[in-house]
Amino acid sequence: MSTPLNASLLRGFSILSLFSDQRNEISVAVVCSELNLNAATAHRFLTTLEEVGVIFSHARGKYSLGLRMSEYGALAQRTSPLVSTVQPVIDRLAMELDEAVMVARAASSGVMCVATAQANRAIAVNVKIGTILDYHATAQGKLWLAHMHAEQRDRKIKQISLKPFNPDTIIDTNNLLAELERVKQQGYATNLGEREPDIAAVAVPVVSKKGELILTLSVFGMRHRFAPDFIDHVRKKLEQAARIIRASYYT
Amino acid sequence: MSTPLNASLLRGFSILSLFSDQRNEISVAVVCSELNLNAATAHRFLTTLEEVGVIFSHARGKYSLGLRMSEYGALAQRTSPLVSTVQPVIDRLAMELDEAVMVARAASSGVMCVATAQANRAIAVNVKIGTILDYHATAQGKLWLAHMHAEQRDRKIKQISLKPFNPDTIIDTNNLLAELERVKQQGYATNLGEREPDIAAVAVPVVSKKGELILTLSVFGMRHRFAPDFIDHVRKKLEQAARIIRASYYT
DNA sequence: GATTTATATCTCATTATATGAGATTTTAAC
DNA sequence: GTTAAAATCTCATATAATGAGATATAAATC
């Protein structure tokens, strides 16, 4: 059993996760309803986040992301080669392939999207950063399962519920294990409509020198685009991107 | 008395504040010594920050700022007009005047530096973001005092200790009150070696429609540069910048 | 390579902080 | 101007956080 986490800190960041391109300000009421919190508690967290400068209040009860958040982000870019490498690499890949790209990492809550690059399309699929991906029904999720030790993998499969999102979703444990074996053998994973009927994805690992997964990368889009030739092309491009990102991890 | 803050969240951000351009990774030991924390506690906080993705561990016990921190920073830039306005404005000002510029806001811990722009000089003065400025011995600190209601100001002056940094520091309460009256009358503050013998600064307020201080801005540098003519020139430029920033607050 | 030292990680009894009901204040809606 | 909704504040109670000590791992030294 690993270190229990700090619930207040988790909650603080849950509040920060409510901000998005579509939501540039939040209120006590929004926090209460979205996170099922008491008003006094929500108010206390917002006031604390304001105190440290990552949000500010420009009108009573209305909060926006603040200057220090911007500075932390810029500092992350300046001080972490991995951080400064990932976005340009996935932006370029999205442009080259004309499909969306996503990066994910393992959190205790699941496989979490930590960076995305949009396709330059009028109608595009995207995933919101912070989203937790389904282990059994996404390309990246399957990659993470495939890289687990057998015991941990089996425990995780028991723990998750193999929701039948649609007829293509793998819901039988033996079928899932066989699929994970295939993923392991071929070194990449695909998702052909398993999570959403019309969405496909290809994912590859970014592996450490010790053979552990650091991150996973995927390209995803409308399923009809993902013919075998395109999948192979995408896989090669993703592996290339993975090599660049892996190198930045060790700078 | 206002809302008590959440100590865990404050502590989490204190840990994040240990990162800097000079320190691109931190460890449990660094957190323990810098913040006077128990190792188990430090470890728990680092693990929690990693869980939310704002830091990551690329080697055992070594943490760097992570992808989600970068994304929060970018989101702040995209969603908050104030945030996206401030840095370009102060960068331009620093270039025009060839002196450093700083932005501060009020936190319960004091006047806190939240943005800076460096002078384009071989040898330059700068202040680290997050630094708490002395109320009685800095231009911005005096501005914040000058804008307080008399009762609150008197309470604050009693609370702070009027440290005699050097012979130019104002350490007598009556002299400080007289100085604050001057600051209020003229609408800007100066610091001529009060905090550091060779450093001078000019500060102006960014005031809300309701007359409350939102932020303060200052230009600072080597004292010999701050002749009366230069101070006046700087003041005008700062007031111009303040108008732009104020406008962005209401977008 | 073996040993020692330092650092990181984990556990759980104890301690300290966080919570939220209810009251009050402020703002928005009518 | 009145009412309703939202925000803010307080403090008794509940819950989570802490940190000593143990264990594991890595680094430093020989």
Side-chain angles (χ1 to χ4, degrees):
Chain A
M1 187 73 73
S2 60
T3 301
L5 304 176
N6 184 292
S8 292
L9 199 45
L10 291 176
R11 184 172 269 173
F13 279 95
S14 294
I15 292 172
L16 290 172
S17 297
L18 295 176
F19 288 101
S20 67
D21 284 294
Q22 295 74 37
R23 178 186 273 154
N24 62 4
E25 69 179 29
I26 64 177
S27 65
V28 171
V30 162
V31 174
C32 288
S33 61
E34 294 269 355
L35 301 182
N36 201 26
L37 282 183
N38 175 278
T41 304
H43 181 253
R44 185 180 312 115
F45 273 90
L46 288 166
T47 306
T48 306
L49 291 168
E50 183 180 26
E51 167 67 15
V52 300
V54 295
I55 65 175
F56 72 100
S57 171
H58 49 89
R60 185 172 184 268
K62 292 182 183 342
Y63 297 87
S64 297
L65 287 171
L67 282 158
R68 287 204 75 186
M69 186 61 91
S70 178
E71 173 55 23
Y72 279 127
L75 187 61
Q77 282 288 329
R78 295 197 301 272
T79 57
S80 172
L82 176 72
V83 171
S84 58
T85 296
V86 162
Q87 197 65 49
V89 163
I90 65 175
D91 283 343
R92 189 160 60 245
L93 193 56
M95 185 168 296
E96 284 175 7
L97 297 172
D98 202 21
E99 292 295 354
V101 182
M102 167 173 33
V103 180
R105 57 171 279 269
S108 61
S109 47
V111 177
M112 181 196 294
C113 171
V114 292
T116 65
Q118 292 189 163
N120 200 30
R121 288 163 164 267
I123 296 173
V125 201
N126 207 6
V127 172
K128 188 174 168 339
I129 287 168
T131 300
I132 301 297
L133 309 174
D134 298 279
Y135 275 105
H136 71 299
T138 62
Q140 302 203 49
K142 288 189 287 185
L143 259 181
W144 284 94
L145 281 179
H147 272 80
M148 286 179 192
H149 292 298
E151 281 172 30
Q152 190 200 1
R153 179 200 63 206
D154 292 347
R155 232 184 294 127
K156 182 64 72 178
I157 291 174
K158 276 195 173 74
Q159 184 186 86
I160 64 181
S161 70
L162 304 180
K163 285 175 200 146
F165 292 108
N166 64 64
D168 288 323
T169 316
I170 301 171
I171 55 174
D172 175 69
T173 301
N174 287 328
N175 288 350
L176 181 57
L177 289 171
E179 166 70 357
L180 297 181
E181 193 53 40
R182 263 195 298 282
V183 165
K184 199 157 180 157
Q185 289 301 327
Q186 69 197 12
Y188 69 96
T190 57
N191 169 8
L192 304 175
E194 292 152 55
R195 181 61 178 75
E196 304 280 348
D198 296 319
I199 304 295
V202 185
V204 301
V206 181
V207 182
S208 75
K209 285 169 178 170
K210 293 197 276 179
E212 288 164 353
L213 267 188
I214 301 171
L215 296 172
T216 49
L217 313 184
S218 67
V219 167
F220 60 100
M222 294 298 175
R223 186 171 176 179
H224 71 268
R225 282 257 280 162
F226 284 73
D229 284 356
F230 185 66
I231 288 173
D232 200 62
H233 178 62
V234 163
R235 177 184 60 79
K236 283 165 176 157
K237 289 288 187 180
L238 279 169
E239 283 167 356
Q240 193 173 32
R243 280 192 288 278
I244 298 169
I245 290 172
R246 180 179 200 265
S248 74
Y249 188 75
Y250 292 107
T251 305
Chain B
M1 187 70 75
S2 63
T3 301
L5 305 176
N6 183 293
S8 291
L9 199 46
L10 291 176
R11 184 172 268 174
F13 279 94
S14 294
I15 292 172
L16 289 173
S17 297
L18 295 176
F19 288 101
S20 68
D21 284 294
Q22 294 74 37
R23 180 186 273 153
N24 63 5
E25 70 179 29
I26 64 176
S27 64
V28 171
V30 162
V31 173
C32 289
S33 62
E34 295 270 354
L35 301 182
N36 200 26
L37 283 183
N38 175 279
T41 305
H43 181 252
R44 185 179 313 114
F45 273 91
L46 288 167
T47 306
T48 306
L49 291 167
E50 184 179 25
E51 167 68 14
V52 300
V54 294
I55 65 175
F56 72 100
S57 171
H58 48 90
R60 183 174 184 264
K62 293 183 180 346
Y63 297 87
S64 297
L65 288 171
L67 283 157
R68 286 204 75 186
M69 186 62 92
S70 178
E71 172 56 24
Y72 278 128
L75 187 61
Q77 282 288 329
R78 294 197 303 271
T79 57
S80 172
L82 177 72
V83 170
S84 58
T85 296
V86 163
Q87 197 66 50
V89 164
I90 64 175
D91 283 341
R92 188 160 60 246
L93 192 57
M95 185 168 297
E96 284 173 9
L97 297 174
D98 203 20
E99 292 294 356
V101 182
M102 164 173 37
V103 181
R105 57 172 278 271
S108 61
S109 49
V111 176
M112 181 197 295
C113 172
V114 292
T116 64
Q118 292 189 167
N120 200 28
R121 288 163 164 268
I123 296 175
V125 200
N126 206 10
V127 172
K128 187 175 170 335
I129 287 168
T131 300
I132 300 299
L133 309 173
D134 299 279
Y135 276 105
H136 69 300
T138 62
Q140 302 203 49
K142 289 188 287 186
L143 259 182
W144 283 95
L145 281 179
H147 272 80
M148 284 179 193
H149 292 298
E151 281 171 30
Q152 191 200 358
R153 181 201 60 207
D154 293 345
R155 231 184 296 130
K156 182 64 73 178
I157 292 175
K158 276 195 172 79
Q159 183 185 85
I160 65 180
S161 72
L162 303 180
K163 285 175 199 146
F165 293 109
N166 63 64
D168 287 323
T169 316
I170 302 170
I171 54 176
D172 174 69
T173 301
N174 286 328
N175 289 348
L176 181 56
L177 289 172
E179 166 70 355
L180 297 182
E181 192 53 40
R182 263 194 297 283
V183 165
K184 200 159 178 152
Q185 287 302 326
Q186 68 199 10
Y188 68 96
T190 57
N191 169 7
L192 302 176
E194 291 154 54
R195 180 59 177 77
E196 303 281 348
D198 297 318
I199 304 297
V202 184
V204 301
V206 181
V207 182
S208 75
K209 287 170 178 171
K210 292 196 277 180
E212 289 164 351
L213 267 187
I214 301 170
L215 296 170
T216 48
L217 310 185
S218 66
V219 167
F220 59 101
M222 292 299 174
R223 186 171 177 180
H224 71 268
R225 283 257 281 161
F226 285 72
D229 282 357
F230 185 65
I231 289 173
D232 199 64
H233 178 60
V234 164
R235 177 184 59 81
K236 283 166 177 157
K237 288 287 185 180
L238 279 170
E239 282 167 356
Q240 193 174 33
R243 280 193 288 277
I244 297 169
I245 290 171
R246 180 179 200 265
S248 73
Y249 189 75
Y250 292 109
T251 303

